[in-house]
Amino acid sequence: MKEIENLLRENIKTIKPYSSARDEYKEVSENMVFIDANENPFQNGVNRYPDPQQVTVKRKLSELKGINKNQILLGNGSDEVLDLIFRAFCEPNRDEVIILPPTYGMYSVLANINAVALKEVQLTQDFQPDVNAIIEAQDISSKLLFLCSPNNPTANSFEASKIENLIQSFNGIVVIDEAYIDFSSSESWLNRLDEFPNLIVTQTLSKAYGLAGIRMGVCYASEYIISILNKIKPPYNVNQLTQEKAIERLIRLNEVTSEVKSILEEREFLKIELEKIGFVQKVYPSDANFLLAKVDDANLRYNQLIANGIVVRNRTTQTLCENCLRFTVGTKEENKILINTLRKL
């Protein structure tokens, strides 16, 4: 792990993590008396601090994903997970990260928050990484490379050979954001995590699992990287209610599977129907729970939809996405309303 250790910020290498009251014992018995954390002692279900390591949630994810629980970190949404990665590896005002626009907007926001330089290498016209350009762009200060696959807003997955080439050729940490992997025909990179010590895979319970409201992001990496992120995360970063709701959903995996199947069927319906709309010029292939469509005038069509009570995402200002709208796949009823409205415009 020496090479990974060399990528860390100097202060992170020796940082002493905050030890919370709940970190100081491993097992809980019914007869234990908790007078260590200055909590209100009167029971109401949430008067105690939550498990700081979210052991039960991690155990369930470990079973589902086939990943050692010591290779899992949970965060308050994927945004906290990504922020922790920035803070572990990127020295403010010195290091840089590489992103591939058009892509998820929080990468640049987090770079700015953490005073980390941003280097952009545009995707190719078919929305794939330009491997040679990325490798040429990196230098000694390039610490992180973000690959969003399936990509937001373009909805496509990156070719596996290109991703593998980048993992092997990039001198820093490669972060593969798999927020939409459950809708994809491509395999998750979790299956190859142990091959690449510089690989981090992030996922979320916000999309396929339908838990956007509880804010839970998941980070998978080597035990060493996870141990570093655990040192710098807030002690109780995932609240008790979030943990309980996540466990409920993970237990009822059949519901998630059924909903994903329905979304994929509706995605195909939407694609077919959108292509029939006169002002829709192209519907791009999708490996996610949304479709990117090129229209005649994105600003006009966006405003018309808003006037009809339908909110979509206008992506026309994004690189390679001029006059493009992004449509999330809704319920059967919502999708019919969308198509019927578009036909009348």
Side-chain angles (χ1 to χ4, degrees):
M1 290 301 170
K2 194 66 180 174
E3 289 182 5
I4 303 301
E5 183 181 357
N6 290 338
L7 295 172
L8 292 172
R9 289 171 54 185
E10 286 301 318
N11 66 308
I12 298 298
K13 292 178 182 178
T14 57
I15 195 170
K16 295 273 191 285
Y18 174 79
S19 179
S20 70
R22 295 299 178 262
D23 280 319
E24 294 173 3
Y25 61 89
K26 301 298 179 187
E27 309 236 348
V28 179
S29 71
E30 291 182 8
N31 299 322
M32 289 183 77
V33 177
F34 294 100
I35 51 174
D36 59 330
N38 303 334
E39 300 153 323
N40 183 323
F42 296 98
Q43 293 294 333
N44 62 20
V46 289
N47 61 303
R48 299 294 182 187
Y49 285 109
D51 174 6
Q53 290 300 324
Q54 309 95 34
V55 171
T56 305
V57 184
K58 287 180 182 176
R59 186 181 299 123
K60 192 61 185 173
L61 284 170
S62 175
E63 294 170 4
L64 293 175
K65 303 290 186 177
I67 301 294
N68 187 309
K69 66 181 187 307
N70 295 326
Q71 291 181 261
I72 303 173
L73 176 121
L74 302 180
N76 180 13
S78 294
D79 295 337
E80 183 187 39
V81 168
L82 296 171
D83 186 51
L84 288 172
I85 295 169
F86 268 93
R87 288 194 276 151
F89 291 101
C90 297
E91 195 70 52
N93 300 309
R94 190 181 76 187
D95 289 333
E96 69 175 23
V97 300
I98 298 177
I99 65 171
L100 315 180
T103 192
Y104 181 44
M106 277 303 294
Y107 306 145
S108 58
V109 171
L110 290 170
N112 290 331
I113 290 172
N114 286 283
V116 175
L118 196 66
K119 185 174 286 183
E120 298 184 351
V121 180
Q122 185 176 296
L123 294 177
T124 62
Q125 289 295 321
D126 58 349
F127 300 145
Q128 289 292 327
D130 187 335
V131 175
N132 291 335
I134 294 167
I135 300 307
E136 288 175 8
Q138 72 172 332
D139 57 37
I140 194 170
S141 63
S142 304
K143 290 296 188 67
L144 303 174
L145 168 62
F146 287 97
L147 305 177
C148 187
S149 182
N151 189 38
N152 178 14
T154 61
N156 66 301
S157 293
F158 296 155
E159 293 175 16
S161 60
K162 294 183 184 296
I163 292 178
E164 183 167 353
N165 194 340
L166 287 168
I167 296 171
Q168 294 173 333
S169 304
F170 188 67
N171 295 323
I173 301 293
V174 176
V175 182
I176 304 181
D177 185 343
E178 292 188 339
Y180 301 96
I181 194 64
D182 298 284
F183 307 103
S184 174
S185 56
S186 300
E187 265 194 60
S188 168
W189 282 85
L190 287 183
N191 302 321
R192 304 188 63 189
L193 197 62
D194 291 338
E195 292 181 45
F196 306 111
N198 66 324
L199 175 61
I200 295 176
V201 176
T202 64
Q203 295 185 357
T204 180
L205 299 192
S206 294
K207 310 301 181 184
Y209 289 85
L211 297 178
I214 72 168
R215 307 302 298 128
M216 180 174 281
V218 190
C219 176
Y220 301 93
S222 68
E223 288 191 33
Y224 178 73
I225 290 177
I226 295 300
S227 71
I228 295 297
L229 299 179
N230 269 319
K231 285 170 64 174
I232 63 174
K233 80 171 184 65
Y236 301 111
N237 62 321
V238 180
N239 70 67
Q240 181 66 31
L241 299 177
T242 288
Q243 293 185 45
E244 290 174 3
K245 200 68 178 177
I247 293 165
E248 288 177 18
R249 188 64 159 161
L250 290 170
I251 289 172
R252 302 199 304 273
L253 199 61
N254 59 318
E255 294 179 8
V256 177
T257 302
S258 175
E259 290 171 13
V260 168
K261 181 174 181 290
S262 175
I263 289 170
L264 294 180
E265 290 170 353
E266 287 299 304
R267 185 180 75 188
E268 184 60 22
F269 164 80
L270 262 187
K271 181 179 187 300
I272 292 170
E273 295 303 315
L274 283 171
E275 288 175 337
K276 296 177 184 176
I277 304 297
F279 57 81
V280 174
Q281 299 173 357
K282 181 175 183 177
V283 180
Y284 293 93
S286 175
D287 239 1
N289 67 333
F290 60 88
L291 291 164
L292 186 72
K294 188 175 184 64
V295 299
D296 57 346
D297 187 331
N299 292 329
L300 170 64
R301 303 307 178 185
Y302 174 80
N303 290 325
Q304 288 176 328
L305 287 169
I306 288 288
N308 281 275
I310 298 175
V311 183
V312 300
R313 200 80 153 107
N314 187 353
R315 299 285 75 188
T316 193
T317 60
Q318 301 295 301
T319 303
L320 302 176
C321 294
E322 184 180 2
N323 282 323
C324 285
L325 298 176
R326 194 188 71 191
F327 299 94
T328 302
V329 179
T331 63
K332 188 180 292 289
E333 294 73 23
E334 289 171 332
N335 297 331
K336 286 180 179 177
I337 290 171
L338 169 63
I339 294 301
N340 288 335
T341 302
L342 290 172
R343 287 171 180 160
K344 297 173 184 175
L345 298 183

